[in-house]
Amino acid sequence: MTAERLHGLLEAGHSEGLYPGAIARIGGPSIETVSATVGTHEPDGERPITPETRFDLASLTKPVVTTTLVFRLLESERLSLDETLGTYLPDLDGTSRGAIPIHTLLTHTSGLRAYAYDPDWECRDDVLAGLSERELCVREPGETFEYSCLNFLHLRELVARIVDESIETAVQEQLFDPVGMSDAAVGDVDPESVPVATTYEHEHADRQLRGTTHDPLARAMGGFGGNAGLFGTVEDVARFAEMILADGRAPESDAWVLSPASVRSFPVERERGEDVSQGYGWRLRVDRTPSPLWSAETIGHTGFTGTSLWVDLDAECYALLLTNAVHSPDSDLDAFRQRFHSLSAALATTG
């Protein structure tokens, strides 16, 4: 496996103006790990992307953090996916949201609208109060697939209520520490103390963000909304992928983060949308996503800021791409991502 081909692809994307900076890694337990970097933290900037650069991982938060914590609760018998939101969140008991089964939140079939946000929301209490005043249930649970950040905001609240401690503490102790994600954080990070790739918020803030969560809803929730808010390096995400490929055991600490049964449940299709195959918290390979060269035992997700992680459980390899493509509102990573994942599959199987 050679880094030159991977670096050449990242250089091509940079030259096409898809992103100011990027880092990619391809690896697995039985293949040589290869990484490449290109560009800078911000457009026309001088600070180069390095393996130590933190990225706003956006919706990778959904499978990496929120889904992992939900399944840990499931394994410990503290949660049933057949129960409803109202069972765990008493404030929602007797409401339309309270009647939503937990499993439909993980599969984006809850009936909740895709998104909700108000610029006046400045903290978690504002968000929860504002959501309570809106009609969020637009369909019956289980009726159809609609990708919704609100699903994972509600899962965040559910996890926080059950663990009975700070959600940030739970993430640190149950995920970051055992996996060895030593530079990962949920919520804003201090750009004066750690290197952070910038993003740009076009719709609501119209400003460059550095160390501040890009997603407006998660930002209003204090930086971590369950749907977004995870920051990390390429090494952090790679260690998570290695844990998944080790059937839930973290190679760094030899601790079981998830059971093999949980990991095996991820690549099972639970719902099908237009050009989407959805599992519990994870997207599955379908047609040309992430690439026709990946096996049917593939799970992954993308992030709005320009990030993605895909893990092939059959081929025992992963490919992760971290960029800040969100700087350009016209940047379309879909075709580039397919080129990246096709190259990744070829390199992983041929070297």
Side-chain angles (χ1 to χ4, degrees), residues 40-276:
T40 55
H41 286 193
E42 55 274 309
D44 304 317
E46 297 182 354
R47 291 171 293 187
I49 298 293
T50 72
E52 289 73 41
T53 301
R54 277 71 165 175
F55 283 82
D56 182 335
L57 301 174
S59 282
L60 290 191
T61 307
K62 293 180 174 75
V64 172
V65 177
T66 311
T67 299
T68 299
L69 264 61
V70 166
F71 269 77
R72 283 179 61 88
L73 291 174
L74 183 64
E75 291 177 8
S76 63
E77 305 174 57
R78 303 173 72 186
L79 172 70
S80 168
L81 298 187
D82 287 328
E83 295 284 6
T84 61
L85 267 177
T87 304
Y88 301 98
L89 299 177
D91 290 347
L92 296 183
D93 193 23
T95 69
S96 55
R97 280 189 289 159
I100 295 174
I102 305 303
H103 67 88
T104 66
L105 299 167
L106 289 163
T107 58
H108 296 287
T109 57
S110 67
L112 289 172
R113 64 174 66 251
Y115 204 80
Y117 174 69
D118 189 316
D120 291 333
W121 294 345
E122 296 182 348
C123 64
R124 172 178 169 273
D125 287 346
D126 287 351
V127 174
L128 298 183
L131 292 178
S132 70
E133 297 170 355
R134 299 189 178 202
E135 180 51 57
L136 301 178
C137 297
V138 294
R139 295 179 181 86
E140 289 297 315
E143 182 178 328
T144 189
F145 174 91
E146 181 173 14
Y147 183 79
S148 171
C149 284
L150 296 180
N151 289 325
F152 280 76
L153 181 144
H154 285 85
L155 287 170
R156 176 210 185 279
E157 290 302 294
L158 177 151
V159 170
R161 179 64 64 93
I162 296 176
V163 298
D164 196 29
E165 63 181 339
S166 136
I167 187 72
E168 292 79 10
T169 299
V171 173
Q172 187 69 46
E173 294 181 350
Q174 298 185 37
L175 177 62
F176 294 164
D177 288 346
V179 174
M181 300 169 68
S182 56
D183 295 321
V186 286
D188 299 348
V189 298
D190 181 7
E192 300 304 319
S193 60
V194 297
V196 187
T198 63
T199 61
Y200 202 97
E201 221 283 71
H202 297 273
E203 185 173 355
H204 298 288
D206 193 26
R207 62 187 175 97
Q208 180 169 279
L209 303 174
R210 183 167 168 245
T212 300
T213 301
H214 177 269
D215 179 79
L217 183 58
R219 194 164 64 238
M221 286 285 289
F224 172 56
N227 65 313
L230 173 63
F231 282 82
T233 64
V234 68
E235 183 68 24
D236 292 324
V237 186
R239 287 184 174 176
F240 179 87
E242 290 162 0
M243 178 271 291
I244 293 293
L245 287 173
D247 285 331
R249 188 196 292 267
E252 186 75 10
S253 65
D254 205 35
W256 286 104
V257 179
L258 291 167
S259 71
S262 287
V263 174
R264 286 195 297 268
S265 77
F266 290 150
V268 176
E269 183 176 271
R270 312 291 176 174
E271 185 64 29
R272 176 63 72 105
E274 185 177 357
D275 299 324
V276 172

Side-chain angles (χ1 to χ4, degrees), residues 5-6 9-10 23-27 60 285 287-295 298-303 306-312 315 317-323 333-349:
R5 292 179 66 188
L6 180 58
L9 180 61
L10 291 191
I23 186 166
R25 180 173 293 187
I26 304 163
L60 290 191
R285 195 214 75 176
D287 296 330
R288 295 172 298 282
T289 303
S291 160
L293 306 186
W294 288 63
S295 84
T298 294
I299 60 175
H301 215 285
T302 60
T307 60
S308 64
L309 167 66
W310 288 88
V311 183
D312 190 326
C317 67
Y318 66 84
L320 65 98
L321 176 66
L322 308 182
T323 82
L333 279 185
D334 287 349
F336 180 83
R337 280 173 169 151
Q338 188 179 116
R339 289 159 60 195
F340 167 69
H341 290 109
S342 294
L343 174 63
S344 299
L347 292 178
T349 53

